[in-house]
Amino acid sequence: MVTYRLLIEYDGASFAGWQIQENQMTIQGALEKALYVLFRQDIRLVGSGRTDAGVHARGQMAHFVAPRFIEPYRLRKSLNGLVPATIAIRSVEEAPTGFHARFDATERGYRYRISTEPFTLERGFRWLVRPVPNIDQMNQAAHFLVGEHHFGSFCITQSETQNRICLVSRAEWTSEATEGFYCFEIAANRFLHGMVRTIVGTLVEVGHGKRSPESLKTILAAQDRRRAGYAAPAHGLVLEYVRY
Amino acid sequence: MVTYRLLIEYDGASFAGWQIQENQMTIQGALEKALYVLFRQDIRLVGSGRTDAGVHARGQMAHFVAPRFIEPYRLRKSLNGLVPATIAIRSVEEAPTGFHARFDATERGYRYRISTEPFTLERGFRWLVRPVPNIDQMNQAAHFLVGEHHFGSFCITQSETQNRICLVSRAEWTSEATEGFYCFEIAANRFLHGMVRTIVGTLVEVGHGKRSPESLKTILAAQDRRRAGYAAPAHGLVLEYVRY
């Protein structure tokens, strides 16, 4: 038995999300199918977390336990040959026995990209936000998210028991080299379902003057999804990295 | 009569190149159609140069002479509403009478992107080069292209009379933030038909040890297309900027 750790990139537009589902093309499903072809038995692949339909990843991490050893370099090559072109296994490493891609992760980093000006080359990866929002106000609002908070207002899933506390270490809009391109970088120990997109949608409402930056404090305190804004579209979001 | 200057971005994958052609979707064709809808008369759009089928642009420049004045901001908005989503007019400016997008251009800058490792998110914009080439050797070879040379060996078009002298101010491979991503930046006063792709294809052959870096001197001196290597695929190439 050998534990392997995979660094995976995928184009979310081609999938109904990470998690395996019957009759749906999912990233986990495509990878488990490839593992079956290689090892001739069912192998469970565990991701660092799920990404929703349409959300991309440049740095998703996953692990699986294989019944026999294959050279990591050969494993990467074989898997890349077996998955659709919209998935790329960037690296394969042997991991210590017991390594867990989800439980051992200490930080996840996402980026959400927008443009305030017309563009086309990145249209599958960037949200066109018009009219031009006030980025300074969005940054003031984002600042209130940093730290340990209850993020129930930014979570789609209905459940009273589950832990909603996240420690956000970074939440910041930066301007990119191209005029009108902005990137929201957010890092936390964990993320809730729909959290980044709901944060981005709410911050854009701040940028459009529909909410004040300070309103983020009230939204957090409410612990109620109905208090936050619309979720931003999935295609602007990329899971950039997972740290262990 | 008003002269306008446009800064245009387009996804080359959707077009049979820049230049208007009967029964083909071209960038010039799509834009002239939009101009006809706006001004109700045929208007000739002049680009800084042609790009081939599949080649992208982030900074193509073009001009046209309009029969009447429209506020540049409104013109940009209207044109963006009339062209396919694979074209974006990034800016519209009034230009001095007599401005010519092609004749007045003093420098063009292209980038060609490759990856030596599996990837997917940029698959429409980056060429996968395997086995891993020697980038140092490719840079040594590229160095011989800088300066004023006869580029007949890198030109597809057959013609004995046309000027083949180009002044190359930059030709360099740089490594990008993502592991295995490299970008070839080349700038010159002018480019010949197929020139950048033939240069990239030839440099990759150097990187694979099929030619020496010094062989570039011999290829340039031969002034014969048959001496250079294969043309790299179109989808890795982007016209980044045009200077005036």
Side-chain angles (χ1 to χ4, degrees):
Chain A
M1 307 287 268
V2 194
T3 304
Y4 289 101
R5 177 158 95 156
L6 310 181
L7 175 62
I8 308 162
E9 180 175 322
Y10 49 83
D11 185 338
S14 306
F15 301 96
W18 168 268
Q19 194 181 22
I20 203 158
Q21 293 176 62
E22 195 116 17
N23 300 323
Q24 296 268 25
M25 179 65 132
T26 68
I27 301 110
Q28 188 191 7
L31 285 162
E32 289 193 359
K33 199 169 151 187
L35 290 173
Y36 181 84
V37 172
L38 269 184
F39 292 100
R40 286 289 149 199
Q41 67 181 67
D42 287 317
I43 291 177
R44 174 48 39 113
L45 182 74
V46 180
S48 72
R50 302 163 190 174
T51 51
D52 280 344
V55 174
H56 314 289
R58 192 172 279 112
Q60 171 70 291
M61 294 291 259
H63 84 267
F64 68 94
V65 180
R68 59 188 172 83
F69 179 78
I70 299 182
E71 202 67 58
Y73 155 80
R74 297 173 65 91
L75 194 49
R76 185 180 82 154
K77 196 170 178 178
S78 303
L79 286 174
N80 275 318
L82 290 166
V83 294
T86 45
I87 297 178
I89 318 296
R90 291 174 54 195
S91 81
V92 175
E93 287 174 357
E94 221 185 308
T97 306
F99 169 80
H100 197 285
R102 184 167 155 221
F103 300 145
D104 294 350
T106 55
E107 188 182 88
R108 281 100 171 156
Y110 281 90
R111 285 204 182 115
Y112 196 100
R113 293 174 176 85
I114 66 167
S115 179
T116 64
E117 300 296 325
F119 67 104
T120 184
L121 292 185
E122 298 190 18
R123 67 193 178 284
F125 302 93
R126 196 175 283 278
W127 182 30
L128 177 62
V129 174
R130 300 305 296 260
V132 178
N134 183 322
I135 304 287
D136 283 344
Q137 295 266 303
M138 286 159 70
N139 255 332
Q140 283 177 42
H143 185 71
F144 292 111
L145 302 171
V146 177
E148 195 169 64
H149 301 286
H150 187 290
F151 279 90
S153 292
F154 296 95
C155 177
I156 295 168
T157 315
Q158 301 286 337
S159 157
E160 281 174 27
T161 51
Q162 206 189 301
N163 175 16
R164 295 277 189 277
I165 308 293
C166 306
L167 176 59
V168 172
S169 48
R170 183 175 190 189
E172 194 180 6
W173 291 91
T174 52
S175 67
E176 298 179 73
T178 302
E179 202 195 324
F181 279 16
Y182 297 92
C183 176
F184 180 61
E185 296 187 53
I186 184 163
N189 64 334
R190 59 196 289 270
F191 285 92
L192 310 177
H193 187 202
M195 181 168 149
V196 183
R197 291 164 56 196
T198 309
I199 287 173
V200 170
T202 307
L203 293 179
V204 165
E205 292 182 12
V206 170
H208 283 155
K210 292 177 191 162
R211 300 168 182 271
S212 69
E214 293 72 25
S215 70
L216 268 288
K217 283 193 283 190
T218 329
I219 299 171
L220 281 171
Q223 306 187 3
D224 178 353
R225 174 64 186 86
R226 291 166 297 180
R227 299 295 291 274
Y230 291 104
H235 75 275
L237 185 58
V238 179
L239 172 57
E240 296 283 350
Y241 67 84
V242 183
R243 292 225 174 93
Y244 292 90
Chain B
M1 308 285 268
V2 193
T3 305
Y4 288 101
R5 179 159 94 159
L6 309 181
L7 175 62
I8 308 163
E9 180 174 322
Y10 48 82
D11 185 338
S14 305
F15 300 97
W18 168 267
Q19 195 181 20
I20 203 158
Q21 292 176 63
E22 196 116 17
N23 301 322
Q24 296 267 26
M25 179 65 133
T26 68
I27 301 109
Q28 188 191 6
L31 286 162
E32 289 192 359
K33 199 170 153 188
L35 290 173
Y36 181 83
V37 172
L38 270 184
F39 291 101
R40 286 288 150 201
Q41 67 182 67
D42 286 318
I43 291 176
R44 174 46 41 110
L45 182 75
V46 179
S48 72
R50 302 162 189 174
T51 52
D52 280 345
V55 175
H56 314 289
R58 192 173 279 112
Q60 172 69 291
M61 294 291 259
H63 84 267
F64 69 94
V65 179
R68 59 188 171 83
F69 178 78
I70 299 183
E71 201 67 60
Y73 155 79
R74 296 172 66 90
L75 194 49
R76 184 179 85 155
K77 197 170 178 181
S78 303
L79 286 173
N80 276 319
L82 290 166
V83 294
T86 45
I87 297 179
I89 318 295
R90 290 174 54 196
S91 81
V92 176
E93 288 175 356
E94 222 186 308
T97 307
F99 170 80
H100 196 285
R102 184 168 155 220
F103 300 145
D104 294 351
T106 54
E107 189 182 88
R108 280 101 172 155
Y110 280 90
R111 286 205 181 114
Y112 195 101
R113 293 176 175 83
I114 66 167
S115 178
T116 64
E117 299 297 324
F119 68 104
T120 184
L121 293 187
E122 298 190 18
R123 68 194 179 285
F125 303 92
R126 196 176 283 277
W127 181 29
L128 177 62
V129 174
R130 301 304 297 260
V132 177
N134 184 323
I135 303 287
D136 283 344
Q137 296 267 302
M138 286 159 71
N139 255 332
Q140 284 176 42
H143 184 71
F144 292 111
L145 302 171
V146 176
E148 195 169 63
H149 302 286
H150 186 289
F151 278 91
S153 292
F154 296 97
C155 177
I156 294 168
T157 314
Q158 300 286 336
S159 156
E160 280 174 27
T161 52
Q162 207 190 299
N163 174 17
R164 295 278 190 276
I165 308 292
C166 305
L167 177 60
V168 172
S169 48
R170 184 174 191 191
E172 195 181 4
W173 290 90
T174 52
S175 68
E176 299 177 74
T178 302
E179 203 194 324
F181 279 15
Y182 298 91
C183 177
F184 180 60
E185 296 188 53
I186 184 163
N189 62 335
R190 58 197 289 271
F191 285 91
L192 310 176
H193 188 201
M195 181 168 148
V196 184
R197 291 164 56 196
T198 309
I199 287 174
V200 170
T202 307
L203 294 179
V204 165
E205 291 182 14
V206 170
H208 284 156
K210 292 178 191 160
R211 300 169 183 268
S212 69
E214 292 71 26
S215 71
L216 269 286
K217 284 193 282 189
T218 328
I219 298 170
L220 280 171
Q223 306 186 2
D224 178 353
R225 174 63 186 87
R226 291 166 297 181
R227 299 295 291 275
Y230 291 105
H235 75 273
L237 186 57
V238 180
L239 171 58
E240 295 283 350
Y241 66 84
V242 183
R243 292 224 174 95
Y244 292 91

